[in-house]
Amino acid sequence: MRGNSGLPATPDSSVLRAVVVAIAVVQSTVLGLLARRGSWLSDDLDFLVQGARGFAPAELLTPVNDHIAPGLRFVYAGFVWIAPFNHDATVAWRMLMQAAAITLMGLLLLRLLGSNWWVVAGTLFYAITPLSMPSFMSLSSGVNNLCAHVFGLLLLHATIDWYDGRRRRAVAYGPLSLLISLACWEKSALIVVTVVALALYLRDRPIRYWIQYFVALAVGVVVFGILYFVYGNPSQGHLPGPRQLFTALARGFAVPIGALVGGPWRWQNFTIMGTAAAPAAAVILGGLVFALIIAIAWRRERRALLLWGSVLVYVVVTVVLVAYGRFTLFGDLFTSHYHYWSDLSVPLTLAVVLSLRTVRMRWAVVPMAALCCLVAVSDAGFARTWAKNPAKEYFATVTAELEQAGPNVNLWDTAMPQPIVNALTNDLRLSPVLRMAHIPFRLQEPGSEPLMVDEQGHLRPAQLAVWSRGEPPSRTNPFCNLLLHGTEPLTARLKSTQPEVATANWFVKAAYFSNRQNRVSIELADDDGNVAALPAADWPAGVGSMYFGPSQRIKATQLRLRSSDPATNLCVENFDIGLPRVNG
């Protein structure tokens, strides 16, 4: 490796390794304690429910929103298999991954710089930067980004192995690391730009020396590309106009510039997702620091500008991807969403350290101390917002009350409250989460009026707030309002009890009697022919009530009964269509 200069003393490499490990352990522990102040986010709940379906390839290759992430699916399936719905277990996993990433970065710097105190400074910068802190807190982003960090850094180690002549070892784990990283987070492909920059930084051999290595890496990209084009589900987005794109790019470049001074310092108050609201002072001060670092690199270490080039490419590509996929819905808000910027800390750390490696460490002590103080401001601000997540208290209350009520408790299949879930959540209902966590309960079964879980997680008596009722056709049977006999469908008009018919995810309560058990399904329909089918259920013999829902969103004006059994004989006295609500 290339030499270094300007240090008053050369530390022992074993000391540097020990300090790197100490930084990794302390910082991952601090982040773990901070993560425990929060809880599950809506994406976490979605992915845990998906993970409960197991490790089958078809499940692992199910797209996540608009992208494919079999690695993320695999990790969530592991969480459910090992410790379902155990938030602390996921925090422990994140701490291990974070400690591994920090250690890998420290060892990478040691290989690049030799015995140099900038190894410690660079490791500390990488460990504490707020770029990656918010994505550690969110489990879904943590699985994406921590894997991108660990396997991306392994790829950089493989690059140095190739440079040092250990070609077989480099090819053994380099392409595999890239493939695993891609399987967890497609955007982690940007690490290849840093690999190229690092290879050019180390160049004292002709470019043909690297061709075989990059061909080997291309194999991993091709394998993932095949999976993506076969199973992926890319969004049909589009880029914003030139002025909007320029604004988004400006906000994008503010992210790494602000990170140089521990930014963003301030976060949006309306979300716990890690969206920055950096003040102008953070960007201006960061810009001054950036200009100083670039000036030093230009004078002393021009090859380090190659790593700044990888930072440039990372920012531009990230902004374009975020703008393309989400600008229509969210504007440029997601440009400052730090879950998209986590792995930028890898090329940024390398760019900063390789630019300053010839500066005497004594000149960096005060700036590093100031950076730690400014990072504390960012972390403290995030911690205040992060701790507002109501999911921890909500699920603690739900599980405690269900345990007390016993396994025969009967529940309405209602949604979890906001902000635990939001409009973008695939399934808003509580029941799949309870099943995934192996919490026993009954769901809308006949025999008892279902209870309801309120917004605080308490079990409460409930009733169906009626919005419409089934109108029986002209009575042909003096003993039954609506008689379903055999396989002929039975349709009833719905009469609204409100001034106008509404659109909603409807629930149905049916009072009935029968001399036999019947398997019957219910459909809600509107006047335009749209149908929301509810799952078929066994209606026990005797007199009782059945409960169904929620339906797909529909403006229901008709209700239809169906059976495939010619022996069906069911009398429905009345239908109530509405929404469950807590009594009182």
Side-chain angles (χ1 to χ4, degrees), residues 442-493:
R442 298 188 304 143
L443 189 65
Q444 294 176 176
E445 291 192 4
S448 65
E449 191 78 15
L451 301 177
M452 187 172 174
V453 178
D454 67 14
E455 292 190 355
Q456 287 73 44
H458 296 285
L459 284 178
R460 303 284 297 276
Q463 64 182 17
L464 193 67
V466 179
W467 285 73
S468 59
R469 287 191 167 96
E471 267 191 330
S474 298
R475 189 182 285 259
T476 58
N477 188 321
F479 302 104
C480 183
N481 286 341
L482 289 159
L483 179 63
L484 179 66
H485 190 73
T487 59
E488 184 68 25
L490 179 65
T491 301
R493 293 290 303 178

Side-chain angles (χ1 to χ4, degrees), residues 371-430:
L371 175 66
C372 290
C373 293
L374 293 171
V375 167
V377 172
S378 293
D379 288 1
F382 183 89
R384 284 193 296 271
T385 305
W386 177 247
K388 295 177 182 178
N389 187 343
K392 177 182 287 187
E393 185 176 350
Y394 173 82
F395 284 113
T397 303
V398 169
T399 53
E401 296 224 351
L402 288 176
E403 182 178 353
Q404 184 178 1
N408 291 322
V409 62
N410 197 17
L411 300 179
W412 283 108
D413 198 8
T414 51
M416 294 173 282
Q418 294 184 351
I420 295 172
V421 292
N422 55 54
L424 300 178
T425 305
N426 289 331
D427 192 341
L428 303 175
R429 298 174 301 147
L430 174 62

Side-chain angles (χ1 to χ4, degrees), residues 5-189:
S5 61
L7 285 174
T10 301
D12 187 86
S13 60
S14 61
V15 172
L16 292 178
R17 291 189 185 95
V19 174
V20 164
V21 172
I23 292 173
V25 171
V26 171
Q27 195 271 351
S28 60
T29 301
V30 170
L31 285 190
L33 294 173
L34 178 55
R36 292 192 74 247
R37 297 186 63 186
S39 186
W40 312 104
L41 299 178
S42 55
D43 279 353
D44 303 332
L45 300 174
D46 267 351
F47 299 156
L48 283 169
V49 171
Q50 169 72 24
R53 299 171 190 168
F55 298 92
E59 299 295 344
L60 298 181
L61 293 170
T62 299
V64 178
N65 299 326
D66 58 351
H67 52 97
I68 184 173
L72 180 141
R73 295 291 198 198
F74 182 89
V75 173
Y76 269 92
F79 289 146
V80 176
W81 180 56
I82 295 170
F85 213 55
N86 187 322
H87 190 256
D88 286 347
T90 72
V91 172
W93 178 86
R94 282 176 273 179
M95 290 171 62
L96 289 173
M97 293 292 285
Q98 179 77 359
I102 295 170
T103 302
L104 285 169
M105 173 58 80
L107 296 179
L108 180 68
L109 293 174
L110 185 61
R111 297 182 74 179
L112 286 169
L113 305 178
S115 294
N116 188 317
W117 286 114
W118 276 106
V119 171
V120 174
T123 304
L124 184 62
F125 177 85
Y126 173 75
I128 67 175
T129 177
L131 279 175
S132 53
M133 179 268 296
S135 67
F136 180 99
M137 301 299 130
S138 165
L139 178 59
S140 56
S141 290
V143 174
N144 285 147
N145 285 298
L146 287 171
C147 292
H149 282 260
V150 169
F151 291 101
L153 285 163
L154 282 173
L155 177 58
L156 294 176
H157 276 275
T159 304
I160 296 179
D161 280 335
W162 183 274
Y163 171 81
D164 286 341
R166 302 182 183 93
R167 293 189 173 191
R168 290 183 179 178
R169 188 164 80 176
V171 171
Y173 73 94
L176 179 62
S177 297
L178 178 59
L179 180 60
I180 295 173
S181 181
L182 288 169
C184 294
W185 186 221
E186 302 109 300
K187 196 170 71 66
S188 64

Side-chain angles (χ1 to χ4, degrees), residues 468-471 492-496 524-525 556-559 575 577:
S468 59
R469 287 191 167 96
E471 267 191 330
R493 293 290 303 178
L494 298 177
K495 182 179 181 180
S496 177
L524 297 176
T557 57
Q558 301 176 52
L559 183 145
F575 287 106
I577 292 84

Side-chain angles (χ1 to χ4, degrees), residues 146-312:
L146 287 171
C147 292
H149 282 260
V150 169
F151 291 101
L153 285 163
L154 282 173
L155 177 58
L156 294 176
H157 276 275
T159 304
I160 296 179
D161 280 335
W162 183 274
Y163 171 81
D164 286 341
R166 302 182 183 93
R167 293 189 173 191
R168 290 183 179 178
R169 188 164 80 176
V171 171
Y173 73 94
L176 179 62
S177 297
L178 178 59
L179 180 60
I180 295 173
S181 181
L182 288 169
C184 294
W185 186 221
E186 302 109 300
K187 196 170 71 66
S188 64
L190 286 170
I191 193 64
V192 173
V193 180
T194 304
V195 169
V196 173
L198 185 61
L200 293 175
Y201 175 84
L202 295 170
R203 70 182 189 278
D204 52 10
R205 300 175 185 179
I207 195 67
R208 64 177 179 272
Y209 182 79
W210 295 96
I211 292 177
Q212 290 177 306
Y213 179 63
F214 286 112
V215 169
L217 295 186
V219 173
V221 175
V222 169
V223 171
F224 181 78
I226 293 172
L227 289 175
Y228 183 86
F229 286 111
V230 173
Y231 296 99
N233 183 32
S235 62
Q236 299 298 315
H238 61 275
L239 289 175
R243 179 177 297 180
Q244 294 169 321
L245 186 58
F246 176 81
T247 302
L249 284 169
R251 294 187 67 175
F253 280 108
V255 172
I257 288 175
L260 296 175
V261 290
W265 302 355
R266 200 165 62 207
W267 307 90
Q268 297 283 1
N269 291 324
F270 65 86
T271 174
I272 55 177
M273 295 290 286
T275 305
V283 180
I284 293 171
L285 182 59
L288 294 174
V289 172
F290 170 72
L292 178 62
I293 294 174
I294 292 297
I296 293 172
W298 182 260
R299 290 191 61 186
R300 300 187 178 187
E301 192 73 12
R302 292 190 181 182
R303 286 190 181 183
L305 297 176
L306 293 164
L307 278 303
W308 285 108
S310 72
V311 172
L312 171 68

